[in-house]
Amino acid sequence: MTDQHPFKRTTDVNKSKEVHYSPYLPPETLGEIFSFFADDDVKSLHSCLLVNKTWCESAAFILWKRPFDISSIMASSELVSVYFLFFSDEKKKSLLTSVPNGLSHLSSDRPALNYLSYLKYVDFKKVYKAVRMWLRTKTLLEPFCSEFKRRQIALTNRIVTELGRIFTAGYARLDRLSLDIRYFEYNPKDDEVDCLSWPCYPGACVSLSDLREFLCGGQFMKNRILLSMAEICKDIEILSIHESAETSPEMLAEFIKAQRRLIKFTLTNWSSEILEILSSLRKQARTLKYMELIRCIFPRNEDYTKLFRGLAECRNLQTLKLEQCQHLSTKLMKPLAEASFEKLQTFIIDTEAVSDPPTTEIKAIIQNSRESLINIGLNVNLSLYADIMETIATFCPNLLNLSVTIERDSEMQQLITLFRSCTNLVELKIPKKWKLFEV
């Protein structure tokens, strides 16, 4: 198949019309067709690369928009060889000096296609792992010792830093960025370059300006990253922040306020001040649809009654999850009980026992949903939440999924009553949090 061939002519049976066929499929059409391939169907997309130039460019756009995400760890390591070709001559020379035997065979010419321009999603953790594997394959003949490991880690940090520079040099326009190092060994020393500072590089003002999804997690202070991104990114729709780690709540609040249409916000393991962060959600009251708080510690000071007032103004909320959070009391939950979440479809609460459990408040949230709830998770001690099952049976006729902790026979009878009202129920989960009743 070639890019072009002469127009073909044919006539219908009545020889009254002449039909013209396009000489080739335009790139836009090819891209639409290729988008129906499975995300990890690298084999089929690779075959498309070999047809002709137009097919090659259209398939390359899909293959290279998130290359570290669809490749195995070994295949991802070979991607480093490709991106190495985009390094400056000075950096190439420096790295060749550091690993003379392993890198000497690499070409110094840039590829015919600018793969950087196709990049849409980068995951720091996967890039770091790929570089570590790449270096191991290039230094197999060197004796392993503590000094060798130290040099490899330092060299990995240098390469990852340079990859961050070319990823944010303005060639790429990223949609998604993950700087999540949870459950991952990455602890640079004070005298080493912090690879996580990608958003602070000069070209980030262009490459991150279209960012729609941002994930940042790990035991490190995120102030510098949030400050830089608040100036660059205005259209984040999905935001996930994990681990407070002395991060300034004011910095995170300002970053949230800078967004035009935040849709989904997840905050986990936040142990420092949280009032200003949740208050900043007022700015997103029109667009926020998903809110998830996991293992957050709420304050007990005089301001805690104001904690959820900003969230209570998010009338378009569809998902609300409060999981394994501490100090979820009656007064703290009161603003949510007074809110009207008429579009709420998923409500999950998983909390430890408190002296003043928010029984009335949880019931009010369910009642105020106006029959929109279809997914409910109550991983609490039901003995502290009287008549909660009856409330669900009355106000949630469209319920599809229910997760509830059953501890006593009487609670099982409430569940049977609920079955009669919620006839559309598809799935029931009973977590093994407490000892189950005896049958």
Side-chain angles (χ1 to χ4, degrees):
M1 185 180 296
T2 59
D3 278 349
Q4 296 183 346
H5 56 72
F7 282 99
K8 294 181 179 180
R9 295 186 177 183
T10 185
T11 54
D12 60 15
V13 291
N14 297 320
K15 297 184 179 181
S16 59
K17 291 184 179 180
E18 188 177 62
V19 181
H20 293 268
Y21 291 97
S22 174
Y24 62 90
L25 291 174
E28 296 80 7
T29 303
L30 285 172
E32 187 68 22
I33 294 171
F34 294 161
S35 67
F36 285 93
F37 285 125
D39 288 343
D40 58 351
D41 191 359
V42 178
K43 184 177 180 181
S44 297
L45 287 168
H46 184 267
S47 298
C48 296
L49 292 173
L50 309 177
V51 176
N52 59 37
K53 182 180 179 182
T54 304
W55 281 55
C56 178
E57 292 178 347
S58 298
F61 177 80
I62 297 176
L63 277 170
W64 288 88
K65 68 179 180 180
R66 54 187 192 95
F68 294 96
D69 204 44
I70 64 175
S71 305
S72 64
I73 185 63
M74 278 302 295
S76 291
S77 68
E78 292 306 312
L79 294 172
V80 180
S81 296
V82 176
Y83 287 121
F84 177 84
L85 303 178
F86 291 92
F87 287 5
S88 66
D89 293 337
E90 182 182 352
K91 287 294 180 181
K92 288 179 185 177
K93 184 178 180 180
S94 174
L95 291 171
L96 286 171
T97 303
S98 302
V99 193
N101 297 326
L103 304 182
S104 58
H105 68 285
L106 293 178
S107 171
S108 59
D109 298 328
R110 289 199 174 193
L113 295 178
N114 185 0
Y115 298 113
L116 290 172
S117 65
Y118 302 138
L119 197 61
K120 293 295 180 183
Y121 173 49
V122 178
D123 184 329
F124 174 88
K125 188 186 300 183
K126 292 179 179 178
V127 172
Y128 196 91
K129 288 181 177 180
V131 174
R132 288 291 300 271
M133 179 61 69
W134 185 69
L135 279 176
R136 287 173 188 171
T137 61
K138 305 302 180 186
T139 56
L140 291 175
L141 300 180
E142 296 191 31
F144 186 84
C145 60
S146 58
E147 176 60 21
F148 172 74
K149 182 179 180 181
R150 187 196 66 78
R151 285 190 287 108
Q152 273 224 328
I153 292 175
L155 188 56
T156 298
N157 290 347
R158 286 175 54 195
I159 295 174
V160 172
T161 298
E162 190 60 25
L163 284 172
R165 293 189 189 282
I166 66 171
F167 291 161
T168 59
Y171 299 109
R173 302 295 289 264
L174 299 183
D175 292 331
R176 300 165 60 196
L177 175 64
S178 173
L179 300 178
D180 185 13
I181 59 170
R182 292 174 298 162
Y183 325 114
F184 178 62
E185 184 184 354
Y186 171 67
N187 296 296
K189 298 180 180 179
D190 293 337
D191 59 341
E192 293 179 338
V193 177
D194 183 5
C195 307
L196 285 168
S197 299
W198 288 357
C200 306
Y201 295 158
C205 59
V206 175
S207 61
L208 301 183
S209 60
D210 294 335
L211 204 67
R212 294 293 183 271
E213 182 175 347
F214 178 53
L215 188 157
C216 189
Q219 287 293 335
F220 66 96
M221 190 182 294
K222 306 164 184 66
N223 294 345
R224 188 179 174 215
I225 291 174
L226 293 173
L227 180 63
S228 177
M229 294 190 66
E231 296 293 326
I232 300 170
C233 308
K234 306 296 183 182
D235 295 303
I236 299 290
E237 296 177 354
I238 301 175
L239 175 63
S240 301
I241 303 294
H242 308 280
E243 313 285 355
S244 51
E246 300 183 356
T247 299
S248 166
E250 292 79 14
M251 290 285 188
L252 179 54
E254 289 303 314
F255 179 62
I256 292 173
K257 292 177 183 178
Q259 307 313 311
R260 296 188 182 98
R261 55 185 315 272
L262 186 64
I263 296 174
K264 180 177 180 178
F265 180 40
T266 301
L267 185 68
T268 69
N269 293 322
W270 195 270
S271 56
S272 58
E273 184 60 47
I274 197 172
L275 174 60
E276 190 161 354
I277 297 172
L278 295 181
S279 298
S280 69
L281 296 176
R282 283 191 177 92
K283 187 73 182 298
Q284 309 300 330
R286 183 180 57 85
T287 60
L288 192 68
K289 296 181 180 179
Y290 183 105
M291 181 71 198
E292 184 173 17
L293 297 171
I294 305 174
R295 293 184 295 278
C296 293
I297 300 176
F298 299 125
R300 293 178 174 178
N301 56 33
E302 64 277 4
D303 289 335
Y304 74 106
T305 54
K306 306 175 184 177
L307 196 68
F308 285 126
R309 287 184 182 176
L311 181 60
E313 296 181 20
C314 300
R315 302 301 176 87
N316 293 314
L317 202 65
Q318 296 178 4
T319 298
L320 176 60
K321 297 182 180 181
L322 305 171
E323 303 178 75
Q324 302 176 42
C325 296
Q326 296 183 29
H327 311 151
L328 275 176
S329 61
T330 297
K331 291 182 179 180
L332 186 136
M333 292 285 288
K334 187 176 181 181
L336 296 181
E338 296 173 347
S340 178
F341 297 131
E342 297 183 4
K343 298 180 181 180
L344 192 65
Q345 297 181 352
T346 299
F347 177 49
I348 295 175
I349 182 167
D350 177 355
T351 182
E352 88 288 357
V354 292
S355 57
D356 54 342
T359 306
T360 303
E361 287 68 30
I362 291 178
K363 289 168 64 176
I365 291 173
I366 294 173
Q367 292 172 7
N368 295 338
S369 67
R370 305 290 179 88
E371 301 185 358
S372 63
L373 277 170
I374 57 176
N375 306 299
I376 295 179
L378 294 177
N379 297 324
V380 297
N381 188 341
L382 285 184
S383 64
L384 302 175
Y385 296 83
D387 304 325
I388 193 72
M389 299 296 285
E390 182 179 341
T391 301
I392 296 174
T394 303
F395 292 94
C396 304
N398 301 313
L399 190 66
L400 298 178
N401 303 288
L402 175 65
S403 175
V404 62
T405 301
I406 300 296
E407 187 178 8
R408 297 172 177 81
D409 289 346
S410 59
E411 294 164 357
M412 189 56 161
Q413 293 302 320
Q414 296 178 38
L415 192 60
I416 293 173
T417 302
L418 181 143
F419 289 157
R420 297 192 182 103
S421 300
C422 303
T423 56
N424 295 322
L425 194 66
V426 173
E427 182 178 60
L428 171 66
K429 291 183 179 180
I430 303 179
K432 295 181 180 180
K433 191 172 184 179
W434 284 279
K435 182 180 178 180
L436 294 181
F437 57 89
E438 294 183 2
V439 179

